[in-house]
Every structure is written in structure tokens, then in C-alpha cells.
Amino acid sequence: MTPLLSARALSKQYGGRNGCRNVSFDLYPGEVLCIVGESGSGKSTLLNTLALRTPVGSGTLHYASAHGETLDLLALSEPRKRLLMRTEWGFVQQNPRDGLRSSVSAGANIGEPLMAVGARHYGKIREAATQWMARVELDASRIDELPSAFSGGMQQRLQIARNLVTRPRLVFMDEPTAGLDVSVQARLLDLLRTLTSTLHLSVLIVTHDIGVARLLAHRLMVMQGGEVVEAGLTDQVLDDPQHPYTQTLVSSVLPV
Ligand SMILES: Nc1ncnc2c1ncn2[C@@H]1O[C@H](COP(=O)(O)OP(=O)(O)OP(=O)(O)O)[C@@H](O)[C@H]1O
């Protein structure tokens, strides 16, 4: 199978400080790959670098587009990059407020990305927004309310709908369940698990929470000090961690 995304020796420095260093991996279609590590280990830097939101320092990054081309992402023009982000990628932020437009309704938040990819029929856009609200377990009768009228967990589900409505092939997620109550987190994780498998999504997800990784990910990359210190199948890495840092991470949480 051809990888959807291939990174080789990716590095990013901030001045003299290491953001991430020498990261290589392949992400396959339909696969959920989790980047885990403690605060400051370089997870967000790596995710933002892969999603082309932060300039890459060095290395290579290739993507197999929906049209069957292999794109050299680091050589892509700005308009092509924006098109890719709009049509094939999604990015779910940790804080839903960063990923939603606060001045427009829930329905418009879901409908806008559809318009950005060419949808024009108001009735169809509203129907899609209604369906997506139900799909992320939001009360569709609240479609005209502003995001601020929704709870944190609901806002996160709204952000997920906004990202998935265009049926992206690759979704980046930065700590999507952080900052939520445990019960709200569990419901959101359940929803994410269902959506990723039914939509056959490829996902790169950052978390410091081993429980999230265990529930969602097929594979893990464990980061420490900007480097991947261990990678492999989720159960393998969590049940039989080889690197001392992974052993500490795993032993510091209760089994899920
Ligand atoms: N914009 C920036 N300018 C300078 N240094 C940065 C910047 N962003 C991150 N860093 C540094 O890069 C390193 C990795 O940070 P990063 O935010 O990627 O870690 P993280 O694992 O995502 O942490 P957290 O879980 O707290 O978000 C840290 O040493 C951090 O101080």
C-alpha cells in the first residue's frame, strides 16, 4: 500500500532550540497515528510542521493526493497548499474557539467549509449542516445558535463537524480532548473512534494522555526532547515498552 504521508528526517529548530529532530514515518490510508509525549517534547511542533502550519527546517515530506500524484509538500506553492488544506485536510485544534468562527452560527460553521469547496445551494448546505450536527450528537434544532451558546464539549464536536463535512482524507488533531471533563472526554473519544473508522480517515493526533492513545490509535510515536524514541503498534508499545522513557510514561498511568 502507498503511504498517504511520508516524512523523512524532518527537523525544526527555533533559534538554537530543538523543536523536533530527525523524525521519519509513514502514515497509511485509514490509519490513526498518535504522537505522545510529555509537555515540551515537541508534539505540537511536529504536528504543525507536518500540517504545513510551521515552516519546516529540513527533511522531506511527501503526500499522495486524491488525484494520484505524489506531492513534495515542502516545494508546494502557497495557493496549492491552501487548496490542499481546504479540500483534502482537516485540522482540529485543542481549543475549539481557535477552530470555530465565533461570529457565525453553528450551521454556518459547518456550512462554510462546504462553500469553500464550491457548494452553492443554500438548502443543501443547510441540510448537510443539520446532518452533521446530528452525526456529532448535537441537537440540530440549535443550528442557528452561536458557538458561544454551546458547552466546551459541544464546541469541540462542532469543530469536528466543521472539519469533517468536506470529507477530508487526512485530519490533524492537537489534543482534541484536553481540558474537558472526564465524562465529556470519554464521549468525545467514542465519537472520534466511530467517525475515524466509518469515514476511513487517516489521522495524526497529538496527546499527552496515554489513555487517549490507547483508545484511538493504531500506531504510536513516543517523543522525548524533540525526538521519536519509540514507535510501533499501540498495544505493542504500551504493553511492552522498550525505551525507558516510554516505560515511565506507561507506568505513570492507570491501565485503561
Ligand atoms: N514558537 C516557538 N518559539 C520558540 N520555541 C518554541 C516555539 N514553539 C515551541 N518551542 C519549543 O519547542 C520545544 C517543543 O515544544 P512543543 O510545543 O512542540 O512541545 P509539546 O510536546 O507540544 O508540548 P505541550 O504538550 O506543552 O504543547 C519546546 O522546547 C518549546 O519551548
Side-chain angles (χ1 to χ4, degrees):
M1 203 192 304
T2 313
L4 191 66
L5 190 70
S6 283
R8 294 290 176 272
L10 266 197
S11 296
K12 165 79 186 170
Q13 290 218 318
Y14 299 104
R17 188 181 299 136
N18 234 353
C20 62
R21 202 160 77 91
N22 202 24
V23 177
S24 300
F25 70 92
D26 291 320
L27 175 75
Y28 289 91
E31 191 175 40
V32 180
L33 177 59
C34 196
I35 304 164
V36 285
E38 288 174 325
S39 182
S41 57
K43 307 181 297 294
S44 299
T45 297
L46 177 59
L47 193 76
N48 285 313
T49 304
L50 296 168
L52 306 179
R53 297 160 73 95
T54 298
V56 174
S58 58
T60 63
L61 190 57
H62 289 93
Y63 173 73
S65 82
H67 303 292
E69 296 165 278
T70 298
L71 303 178
D72 177 352
L73 292 180
L74 306 186
L76 223 53
S77 67
E78 276 305 315
R80 198 73 204 279
K81 217 187 276 185
R82 282 198 297 274
L83 182 70
L84 193 64
M85 289 172 173
R86 211 166 52 231
T87 55
E88 298 196 28
W89 292 4
F91 196 105
V92 176
Q93 310 260 8
Q94 174 173 346
N95 187 339
R97 280 184 295 263
D98 296 332
L100 290 171
R101 283 226 299 135
S102 59
S103 57
V104 301
S105 68
N109 264 288
I110 303 175
E112 276 178 352
L114 281 177
M115 293 173 72
V117 295
R120 287 291 170 265
H121 189 287
Y122 176 78
K124 285 191 179 144
I125 294 170
R126 192 165 170 93
E127 191 185 314
T130 306
Q131 282 170 1
W132 266 97
M133 283 193 74
R135 200 153 185 186
V136 297
E137 299 164 10
L138 289 172
D139 178 356
S141 70
R142 300 184 64 178
I143 192 166
D144 295 317
E145 294 181 28
L146 291 176
S148 56
F150 293 86
S151 71
M154 289 172 179
Q155 286 180 19
Q156 196 54 296
R157 280 182 270 136
L158 185 59
Q159 190 195 183
I160 289 164
R162 179 177 164 91
N163 270 279
L164 299 189
V165 67
T166 50
R167 298 299 184 100
R169 303 170 73 226
L170 173 59
V171 183
F172 301 90
M173 298 186 185
D174 193 357
E175 303 261 16
T177 60
L180 299 171
D181 284 355
V182 174
S183 63
V184 177
Q185 247 187 45
R187 189 169 163 202
L188 187 62
L189 281 173
D190 222 32
L191 176 71
L192 282 175
R193 197 152 61 152
T194 306
L195 288 172
T196 51
S197 81
T198 53
L199 298 173
H200 196 65
L201 286 176
S202 303
V203 180
L204 271 163
I205 180 167
V206 157
T207 184
H208 65 274
D209 187 335
I210 295 285
V212 169
R214 195 188 276 280
L215 270 172
L216 286 182
H218 300 120
R219 277 195 300 135
L220 301 185
M221 291 197 293
V222 182
M223 292 193 77
Q224 182 190 28
E227 295 190 39
V228 175
V229 294
E230 186 161 357
L233 295 172
T234 303
D235 289 347
Q236 207 174 340
V237 172
L238 297 185
D239 295 340
D240 187 20
Q242 300 298 307
H243 193 278
Y245 176 73
T246 319
Q247 289 166 357
T248 310
L249 265 189
V250 172
S251 65
S252 63
V253 290
L254 295 169
V256 179

